[in-house]
Amino acid sequence: MKQAPLRRLCDCAQRIILKGGTHLVFILIGYSGLSAQEYPQIRQWQETLSYFNPAAIARTESQHLMGLYSYAERWSKLYAVMMDLPVSFLGRSHGVGGQVIGRTRGLFTDTEFSARYAWLQSLPRGGRIQVGLEGGLSRITFDGARAIAEGIMNAELPTTKVEGKAFDLGVGLLWEQQRFSLGLSAQHLFASKVSFSDRYQVHLPRSYTASLSLYLGRVETGLSWRPSLLARYHDESGYRIDMGLGAWWRNRFTAGLIYRWGRALGVQLGATIGGIFLGYQGECITRRERQYQHELLLRYNLPLTRSTNKPTHYKSVRLL
């Protein structure tokens, strides 16, 4: 690519950052011009592990329906709806689930629809192995008309609202015991391209995630501690490492601290009332100009009726 188009593209990116609050301009010009799309960042990963690992569904004998809203000051808004449940088929236990995630970032709107399946296998000495598969459809929209209305003028950018779609796959593995859970996953395996037109394209970079959670203390009857670690590598944005320590009282009320390596420091609060869990996480960004991020989560657990001749599987101590 020649120097002049690069200079014009940089000038355009600066105007979008100043005018629209967008930190990433991912449209490069030409057939060979590709850029990477950031993933929507969900912060309460302990409660939404299936977003990072498709094997982390049907972890209890209940149906879970979850809604999440996240707001990052001067940056983006995100919402998510997730569900999963265990099913029995041909004498075996399986898990199925799905999610819809939407995010608005300045001139860009991202929506992702995902369906998940997990094969569940109880272990002879307790615990369970789960192997998951995920198929997802990503839709990305760029509002060129709004860019013009806000005074962002560049002949190389679309002048109308355009969108593109792409399909991708993810796989995951989850090992759960009474006192810990360990997960590994890989997502966007195809690194699919999202095409707005013949000239404007982005791609969805691969990501790889490892997670570890420990359950220490009297989980059901008293005070317990939940140290946790999430390590994620994204082909475009690099590493994300989250470390957390939560205190739980009788598996119903929680308060904790989280640290995202080199990026953010935050607090977590949560309470379970009946079959409803309400969680909150607030963060202060430490990497650049101080910003605050907030995330609310609401989950409803609906117990499923099981026939008495079905074997009882291991239940995660994290959920009732």
Side-chain angles (χ1 to χ4, degrees):
M1 187 176 289
K2 296 180 180 180
Q3 186 65 24
L6 276 176
R7 185 178 297 110
R8 290 197 298 270
L9 183 60
C10 292
D11 293 341
C12 177
Q14 291 174 359
R15 287 197 297 272
I16 290 180
I17 291 172
L18 294 175
K19 294 281 187 179
T22 305
H23 287 214
L24 176 66
V25 176
F26 54 75
I27 296 178
L28 297 182
I29 304 305
Y31 288 93
S32 62
L34 293 176
S35 68
Q37 169 72 358
E38 285 189 343
Y39 282 110
Q41 182 165 268
I42 290 181
R43 297 168 180 86
Q44 297 180 72
W45 68 266
Q46 301 96 331
E47 308 298 333
T48 58
L49 186 57
S50 61
Y51 170 73
F52 301 90
N53 186 339
I57 59 175
R59 299 172 69 188
T60 73
E61 300 296 330
S62 299
Q63 177 180 346
H64 303 131
L65 179 62
M66 184 185 310
L68 179 144
Y69 176 77
S70 179
Y71 169 73
E73 185 180 6
R74 302 191 301 275
W75 173 230
S76 67
K77 297 178 181 179
L78 178 148
Y79 69 85
V81 177
M82 306 179 188
M83 64 81 62
D84 68 85
L85 72 158
V87 296
S88 295
F89 181 68
L90 297 179
R92 294 198 56 86
S93 293
H94 312 267
V96 293
Q99 76 177 20
V100 179
I101 292 182
R103 178 177 60 165
T104 301
R105 305 168 302 123
L107 302 174
F108 300 95
T109 300
D110 311 335
T111 308
E112 183 175 307
F113 306 88
S114 300
R116 301 187 178 103
Y117 164 79
W119 177 76
L120 316 179
Q121 178 61 56
S122 297
L123 300 176
R125 297 186 179 182
R128 187 161 70 182
I129 289 287
Q130 304 189 180
V131 181
L133 177 67
E134 173 184 67
L137 177 67
S138 297
R139 184 181 68 185
I140 304 173
T141 302
F142 174 79
D143 194 344
R146 179 183 164 193
I148 294 176
E150 295 185 0
I152 303 171
M153 306 297 294
N154 191 292
E156 296 170 341
L157 290 176
T159 57
T160 60
K161 181 178 286 188
V162 294
E163 71 173 41
K165 302 180 181 71
F167 176 79
D168 220 319
L169 287 178
V171 295
L173 176 68
L174 185 70
W175 177 26
E176 287 199 292
Q177 292 283 349
Q178 184 178 5
R179 292 293 181 179
F180 73 89
S181 69
L182 175 65
L184 299 171
S185 67
Q187 293 173 293
H188 288 277
L189 295 177
F190 296 157
S192 300
K193 299 176 184 178
V194 179
S195 298
F196 298 113
S197 68
D198 291 338
R199 298 183 62 195
Y200 307 103
Q201 297 177 324
V202 300
H203 78 275
L204 306 174
R206 298 179 182 89
S207 69
Y208 309 91
T209 304
S211 64
L212 174 65
S213 295
L214 304 177
Y215 317 123
L216 310 175
R218 297 178 296 170
V219 174
E220 299 291 345
T221 61
L223 179 66
S224 63
W225 299 92
R226 315 285 176 88
S228 59
L229 174 67
L230 177 82
R232 193 179 207 199
Y233 178 76
H234 183 269
D235 277 351
E236 175 65 18
S237 56
Y239 289 96
R240 167 186 171 179
I241 300 177
D242 287 24
M243 296 178 289
L245 178 62
W248 285 75
W249 177 252
R250 295 188 174 181
N251 211 27
R252 291 183 178 273
F253 306 99
T254 180
L257 297 174
I258 68 97
Y259 176 64
R260 184 166 301 113
W261 190 271
R263 298 186 182 184
L265 182 66
V267 297
Q268 291 178 323
L269 300 172
T272 300
I273 302 175
I276 297 176
F277 174 82
L278 178 63
Y280 166 79
Q281 182 163 316
E283 294 182 359
C284 175
I285 301 298
T286 59
R287 190 173 185 177
R288 51 182 180 267
E289 180 183 355
R290 190 174 299 274
Q291 298 181 18
Y292 297 93
Q293 301 175 338
H294 308 276
E295 187 173 272
L296 287 173
L297 181 148
L298 181 66
R299 183 182 63 237
Y300 178 61
N301 303 326
L302 177 64
L304 300 176
T305 302
R306 290 291 205 183
S307 59
T308 56
N309 61 346
K310 300 289 184 181
T312 300
H313 295 290
Y314 166 72
K315 298 182 180 181
S316 169
V317 297
R318 299 181 63 254
L319 303 175
L320 295 178

